[in-house]
Amino acid sequence: MSMADKADLLRKLENNELSEADCHKLLRTPPNNPRFPETNQAKNCYSAYNEFFRCEKFKGTGHVDCMYLRQRFYSLCPNEWVERWDEQRKAGIFPGPL
């Protein structure tokens, strides 16, 4: 990715104009989290998913501060889990603390 592309993405991030395609360009594996030292990152994934939706609940959909959390759970969680949890949230039966 060129410096101009990175600058454009940062400008979009600051102006809360990131599209889903832009978010995928920014995806990186999150750094080690000492709260989850095991190799199995299932708890870290679940926690990141819940933290993202809690952030959106309090700060609004698409808020810049929530984008890191979104990237984190997309990087950590298997797509099948995210799809299932999204369906459960929409149906009102998600077991998490949202």
Side-chain angles (χ1 to χ4, degrees):
M1 181 181 298
S2 72
M3 291 300 288
D5 291 338
K6 288 180 183 179
D8 184 50
L9 287 174
L10 288 174
R11 182 194 53 77
K12 286 181 180 180
L13 179 64
E14 289 171 356
N15 294 325
N16 203 16
E17 299 171 347
L18 282 179
S19 67
E20 187 149 346
D22 292 332
C23 289
H24 288 291
K25 291 177 188 174
L26 291 173
L27 282 180
R28 293 184 187 94
T29 303
N32 182 41
N33 188 333
R35 295 182 302 164
F36 305 103
E38 300 89 23
T39 303
N40 184 342
Q41 291 295 305
K43 290 179 185 177
N44 193 358
C45 157
Y46 185 73
S47 176
Y49 184 85
N50 286 312
E51 288 171 7
F52 168 72
F53 285 101
R54 208 172 306 127
C55 178
E56 280 206 328
K57 179 179 177 181
F58 292 108
K59 295 189 177 192
T61 302
H63 195 277
V64 175
D65 293 344
C66 302
M67 295 311 290
Y68 171 74
L69 297 171
R70 184 175 189 269
Q71 291 172 318
R72 199 171 116 216
F73 88 75
Y74 267 116
S75 177
L76 291 168
C77 301
N79 292 336
E80 295 83 21
W81 293 8
V82 173
E83 290 168 6
R84 184 173 14 139
W85 292 340
D86 286 344
E87 290 171 6
Q88 290 174 343
R89 273 189 319 99
K90 289 176 186 169
I93 57 171
F94 181 71
L98 300 176

